[in-house]
Amino acid sequence: MSGDGNGEEKSPGEFHEASSMRKGVMTITVLAIATIVEYVVAVAVSRALVPLAIIAVVKGWFILDGFMHVKEMFSSEEESEKLPAELGASER
Amino acid sequence: MTVAMGAPDLAAEDSVGTSEESPAERVRTAAVGLWLFIISEACLFSAFIAARYVLEGLRKPDELDQPLGLAVTTILLASSFTAYLAEAYSKRSETRRSQIFIWATVLLGALFLTGVALELTGAGEHFPTSTRYGTAYFSLISLHAFHVITGMGALIVSWNLVRLDKLSELGSWRVEAAVKYWHFVDLAWVVIFPTLYLVS
């Protein structure tokens, strides 16, 4: 968190933080939009079981992937053992 | 035989019986255990959700306060984001920010419980537990509320470990585990909210 925006190159840690923050913001935005759509569909449409189920599955996937990092469980051991700084460097 | 008095040595406790495993291996093993626990919890919630549909089909009472349901859903989603930030900062060893976001998550959890308590107060008058919908509603809401409370407890424990700088060689895993559990509580609500408040 030492970036002062004066043209200095970002460290891997800072890059990782920005990338991580972007993913979190994207996930919460999708979840918020999906929740609003879900509510509108439920109020406006009668017998909305199928669309509501689809929206719930989409929201569930975004939580699992975006917040819970479920894919890490299926990644190789070497990859999951990388330090955050190393991950940041590889993303660059 | 002498007995050591005073505070237990957490680092020593961590190494008991696991001397051959590296910290990374231990974290991976713990992660597998946590995911198995989460899957078993998901099975429990699935049974309660299925019971709601078996008991009442797609019917729901008109008296349900849907806007309040939406409000508490929004609060819980917001708490998932603060939990995510707490984990991210913990991984970067920014303990102060991590602590702030852990507490933000706990406070949002408390706000969620307050909203649920308000809803339960009104719901008891319209569909008491003696009705079929009331049985499904109160059991599912109570089960979830219990998980919210335990999640808050886990977050407070992880906050204390961060505060005392006792994360040991496992790094940020203990915060990560509490946060993952919190996300699961949010995930369960993603299914419970439409099941109880929206489907008709």
Side-chain angles (χ1 to χ4, degrees):
Chain A
M1 293 302 292
S2 57
D4 51 11
N6 60 1
E8 281 182 15
E9 198 175 333
K10 282 182 177 177
S11 70
E14 285 172 320
F15 187 89
H16 176 69
E17 185 188 10
S19 165
S20 172
M21 185 69 78
R22 206 166 36 244
K23 187 171 187 182
V25 169
M26 193 198 76
T27 304
I28 192 68
T29 306
V30 170
L31 288 172
I33 293 169
T35 303
I36 293 165
V37 171
E38 181 180 47
Y39 186 77
V40 171
V41 166
V43 171
V45 182
S46 59
R47 293 187 170 276
L49 179 65
V50 174
L52 288 177
I54 292 169
I55 292 169
V57 168
V58 169
K59 286 171 72 177
W61 172 249
F62 269 90
I63 291 174
L64 279 169
D65 181 41
F67 285 158
M68 297 176 81
H69 320 297
V70 69
K71 285 179 185 168
E72 281 180 11
M73 279 308 294
F74 302 102
S75 61
S76 67
E77 204 162 311
E78 295 78 29
E79 217 166 278
S80 65
E81 283 177 18
K82 279 182 180 177
L83 294 169
E86 290 174 312
L87 282 170
S90 66
E91 282 171 19
R92 179 152 40 174
Chain B
M1 182 178 167
T2 52
V3 179
M5 299 298 286
D9 184 351
L10 289 179
E13 280 182 13
D14 282 347
S15 64
V16 172
T18 56
S19 54
E20 300 88 12
E21 285 187 341
S22 69
E25 285 171 333
R26 289 179 60 200
V27 167
R28 194 159 178 86
T29 306
V32 171
L34 180 68
W35 276 105
L36 287 174
F37 170 67
I38 285 175
I39 289 168
S40 72
E41 290 284 274
C43 292
L44 176 68
F45 274 101
S46 301
F48 276 72
I49 289 166
R52 176 259 185 265
Y53 290 108
V54 170
L55 286 172
E56 272 295 272
L58 297 180
R59 286 187 297 274
K60 74 169 174 60
D62 294 331
E63 296 84 4
L64 271 170
D65 194 344
Q66 285 181 319
L68 184 57
L70 180 65
V72 295
T73 302
T74 308
I75 291 166
L76 202 59
L77 286 178
S79 76
S80 251
F81 185 57
T82 54
Y84 176 84
L85 293 176
E87 180 190 352
Y89 284 121
S90 171
K91 280 179 176 172
R92 287 210 60 211
S93 302
E94 291 192 31
T95 54
R96 184 155 181 78
R97 286 186 177 193
S98 181
Q99 288 181 62
I100 289 169
F101 282 110
I102 286 174
W103 271 109
T105 308
V106 171
L107 289 176
L108 286 168
L111 202 57
F112 171 83
L113 287 176
T114 307
V116 167
L118 278 175
E119 175 69 354
L120 286 180
T121 310
E125 295 166 9
H126 300 298
F127 38 91
T129 50
S130 55
T131 63
R132 285 188 300 183
Y133 189 85
T135 302
Y137 180 86
F138 280 96
S139 55
L140 198 44
I141 289 277
S142 306
L143 178 71
H144 185 263
F146 174 73
H147 281 76
V148 172
I149 292 167
T150 52
M152 287 164 67
L155 284 169
I156 290 170
V157 169
S158 70
W159 163 77
N160 197 39
L161 290 170
V162 174
R163 184 178 67 89
L164 299 173
D165 199 20
K166 284 187 175 172
L167 291 177
S168 76
E169 79 260 35
L170 295 182
S172 62
W173 164 249
R174 283 165 175 162
V175 175
E176 199 181 328
V179 167
K180 269 195 172 51
Y181 180 73
W182 188 261
H183 289 315
F184 166 72
V185 171
D186 189 22
L187 180 63
W189 186 257
V190 159
V191 183
I192 293 170
F193 172 56
T195 294
L196 291 180
Y197 290 88
L198 301 181
V199 167
S200 62

